[in-house]
Amino acid sequence: MREFSKLSALLAICLAVSPAAVAEEAECLEEVRALWADGGPFDAYQRPPHRNTNTMYDAAGNVTRVFDSIIETPLRTMAGIEGTHMTLAIDNRIWTGPGSEGPWTPQPDMEGDRRAGHAEDRAQRQANTTDAACHGMVEHEGATYLSYGFTTRTDPSEATGGTWFGSTDTVYIDPETRQVMIWEMGNFVYSWAPEPNGERHVIVFEYDPAIKVNPPE
């Protein structure tokens, strides 16, 4: 009798999930995965030049670091903590310095096709997207955005000994430009730390077509 009751309860739960709800969930997942496509909002190569500020919080909600990036393209970037350490990257060349004005010290070049690596990472996260939530138009931080939530991760990388990472994210997109304005990340998991530690990141984007990232003179 007890087993019958369990079976009945399970059947009731299954019946409660209507075909329409299942179809809506599948449609939302496809909508979120489409954001990762070439030319979509999550394709960093279609973004205009911009700055972003990544504010990092610990599990208690305390700010631990503020990480700044200046990005002309994903292959022409300057990023780090101003006044402490910045990295300038142009294609496969790298320099480091204490701030955005340098002075810059050359470092060993990166290897491989960076753009291909970025594309592979994005394709993996697109394919591995789950738990999609299509929030529609929402009010956030004093503005109206198109918002989505999802969980995703990369595949294990053979080149780095099987490392991978993942997170649960919420993004806020400008409905007119289709550019990401705020990207919130949490529930971070890594191949070496598979359980989330409560850390959270909030990345705010500011677009500026005048931004140029040039190598040191």
Side-chain angles (χ1 to χ4, degrees):
M1 180 65 70
R2 181 176 299 175
E3 293 301 322
F4 178 77
S5 298
K6 290 181 179 179
L7 181 61
S8 298
L10 179 61
L11 180 61
I13 292 173
C14 292
L15 292 175
V17 181
S18 69
V22 172
E24 183 178 347
E25 182 178 336
E27 182 178 344
C28 177
L29 178 59
E30 289 306 307
E31 186 173 344
V32 172
R33 284 181 172 165
L35 300 172
W36 293 102
D38 291 346
F42 295 174
D43 177 1
Y45 282 88
Q46 61 77 38
R47 289 187 187 130
H50 62 280
R51 296 177 176 84
N52 71 54
T53 300
N54 183 1
T55 304
M56 306 178 185
Y57 301 86
D58 63 18
N62 302 307
V63 174
T64 57
R65 283 186 297 171
V66 178
F67 196 84
D68 293 312
S69 299
I70 302 171
I71 301 170
E72 182 178 349
T73 78
L75 298 178
R76 302 179 73 91
T77 66
M78 189 185 304
I81 300 175
E82 184 68 45
T84 301
H85 180 87
M86 297 288 284
T87 298
L88 171 61
I90 305 289
D91 299 323
N92 283 41
R93 294 172 292 167
I94 300 178
W95 299 262
T96 57
S100 56
E101 300 299 322
W104 298 107
T105 301
Q107 302 296 325
D109 290 351
M110 288 181 279
E111 298 181 356
D113 185 334
R114 293 182 62 209
R115 181 159 188 161
H118 293 155
E120 181 180 13
D121 176 276
R122 179 164 50 86
Q124 291 173 4
R125 290 197 279 175
Q126 179 186 46
N128 295 334
T129 293
T130 60
D131 303 325
C134 298
H135 303 302
M137 301 300 293
V138 301
E139 297 291 327
H140 185 70
E141 300 292 339
T144 302
Y145 300 111
L146 182 61
S147 179
Y148 297 91
F150 54 91
T151 296
T152 190
R153 54 170 284 178
T154 60
D155 295 333
S157 169
E158 293 183 7
T160 57
T163 60
W164 54 266
F165 69 90
S167 61
T168 297
D169 304 356
T170 302
V171 295
Y172 299 90
I173 298 171
D174 185 310
E176 294 185 4
T177 66
R178 296 284 294 175
Q179 296 295 341
V180 174
M181 304 304 294
I182 302 172
W183 195 313
E184 300 178 353
M185 309 173 73
N187 289 336
F188 292 102
V189 290
Y190 308 91
S191 50
W192 61 91
E195 295 298 326
N197 63 5
E199 183 179 353
R200 186 171 63 94
H201 296 183
V202 178
I203 308 170
V204 177
F205 293 75
E206 180 183 350
Y207 296 92
D208 181 354
I211 287 175
K212 297 291 182 184
V213 177
N214 297 313
E217 297 182 356

